[in-house]
């Protein structure tokens, strides 16, 4: 089976903006395909896929290792300004990719969007989810959303999916922002669901300690997967924030 790390859904225009989208723990880039049609038609939208989704590679259990794996796909082309948007696990990986860009000689992102993940310690640090017994982990995933009930309720499908889910959760449970790293000089937008129990909106303010630039905060109705059923609204907010950061011409 062929591994896809960077997925482009539509023909790449010659101008515009390039947006890299990074998926959540236990998920895949394919879940974000519907976002593309809600973003400007001259944007090159690139979905980044972590290893382990298609059975050809083992998943990576370290956030910085995953960022280093994906970084070459971000820097392969330099023909337009680009940004990074990540949800949950994808948010911390987007931040780590931005750090790699800031430390290297390549271009830096013009905008960074981080959704439903925070550098502030929370309950996932005290009781790591990747170590929970199966029954408790399934219940927690059901409350959070984002994992189909068919996977959670079917013993055979759960046995097949659990190793990847636990590997991704280990990545997010054990990630810590590095001490002594200069704040990123990039416009940032943070997104949260008003009813997200594990990652409430106030935890997103902790990103202010790690970025040196404008920070726009969006709190939307819903839980951890607040964008379900309102992708167009989220895409419109992303578009407006990018244009405010980069210029109305993108």
């Amino acid at each position: 089976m062929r591994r896809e790390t960077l997925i482009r859904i539509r023909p790449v225009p010659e101008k515009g903006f390039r947006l890299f989208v990074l998926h959540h723990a236990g998920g895949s880039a394919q879940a974000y395909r519907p976002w593309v049609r809600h973003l400007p038609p001259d944007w090159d939208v690139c979905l980044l896929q972590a290893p382990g989704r298609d059975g050809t590679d083992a998943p990576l259990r370290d956030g910085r290792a995953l960022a280093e794996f994906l970084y070459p796909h971000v820097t392969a082309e330099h023909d337009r300004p680009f940004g990074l948007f990540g949800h949950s696990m994808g948010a911390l990986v987007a931040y780590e990719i931005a750090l790699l860009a800031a430390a290297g000689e390549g271009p830096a992102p013009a905008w960074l969007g981080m959704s439903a993940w925070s550098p502030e310690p929370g309950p996932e640090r005290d009781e790591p989810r990747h170590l929970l017994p199966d029954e408790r982990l399934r219940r927690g995933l059901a409350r959070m959303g984002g994992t189909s009930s068919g996977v959670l309720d079917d013993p055979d499908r759960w046995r097949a999916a659990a190793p990847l889910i636990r590997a991704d959760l280990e990545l997010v449970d054990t990630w810590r922002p590095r001490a002594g790293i200069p704040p990123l000089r990039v416009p940032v937008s943070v997104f949260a669901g008003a009813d997200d129990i594990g990652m409430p909106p106030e935890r997103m303010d902790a990103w202010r300690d790690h970025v040196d630039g404008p920070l726009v905060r969006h709190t939307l109705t819903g839980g951890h997967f607040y964008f379900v059923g309102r992708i167009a609204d989220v895409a419109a907010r992303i578009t407006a924030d990018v244009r405010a950061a980069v210029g109305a011409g993108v």
Side-chain angles (χ1 to χ4, degrees):
M1 186 181 295
R2 182 171 64 91
R3 180 183 71 199
E4 285 189 291
T5 300
L6 187 146
I7 302 169
R8 282 187 167 106
I9 311 301
R10 61 191 180 193
V12 181
E14 296 181 357
K15 60 179 182 177
F17 185 75
R18 178 169 289 124
L19 181 67
F20 295 94
V21 179
L22 296 99
H23 61 80
H24 59 281
S28 79
Q30 301 295 343
Y32 296 85
R33 292 177 71 100
W35 291 51
V36 177
R37 67 176 179 268
H38 296 289
L39 292 162
D42 63 345
W43 283 19
D44 181 19
V45 182
C46 301
L47 310 181
L48 290 172
Q49 176 113 301
R53 313 301 113 168
D54 54 16
T56 59
D57 293 296
L60 295 174
R61 299 168 182 264
D62 177 83
R64 282 184 278 281
L66 180 52
E68 290 169 357
F69 174 84
L70 296 173
Y71 182 57
H73 297 276
V74 174
T75 59
E77 300 169 80
H78 310 295
D79 58 340
R80 69 198 74 190
F82 74 92
L84 301 156
F85 175 88
H87 178 68
S88 198
M89 179 180 80
L92 71 90
V93 178
Y95 169 71
E96 290 288 349
I97 289 174
L99 287 179
L100 289 171
E105 298 180 355
W111 176 83
L112 184 59
M114 291 178 289
S115 169
W117 197 255
S118 169
E120 178 184 80
E124 69 283 345
R125 309 285 171 85
D126 301 326
E127 190 174 30
R129 293 162 298 171
H130 69 284
L131 299 177
L132 291 176
D134 272 2
E135 184 178 350
R136 286 189 61 195
L137 178 56
R138 290 199 304 270
R139 288 202 305 267
L141 292 172
R143 286 193 300 270
M144 183 183 298
T147 305
S148 78
S149 59
V151 170
L152 297 177
D153 297 338
D154 183 290
D156 292 334
R157 293 183 66 186
W158 171 253
R159 278 192 294 271
L164 173 63
I165 292 172
R166 289 187 181 277
D168 284 357
L169 289 176
E170 181 178 348
L171 184 154
V172 296
D173 289 346
T174 59
W175 177 77
R176 306 288 187 275
R178 284 171 280 179
I181 298 294
L184 282 171
R185 295 187 174 182
V186 59
V188 168
S189 300
V190 297
F191 297 78
D195 303 317
D196 189 340
I197 297 173
M199 196 60 60
E202 56 268 22
R203 285 187 65 185
M204 301 302 290
D205 285 341
W207 283 114
R208 296 185 186 276
D209 296 330
H210 299 274
V211 297
D212 181 14
L215 189 146
V216 178
R217 177 172 159 175
H218 299 276
T219 301
L220 296 99
T221 302
H224 194 67
F225 291 90
Y226 59 84
F227 49 78
V228 173
R230 54 176 63 90
I231 296 172
D233 179 20
V234 178
R237 293 169 187 251
I238 291 172
T239 302
D241 288 359
V242 167
R243 286 175 171 165
V246 182
V250 300

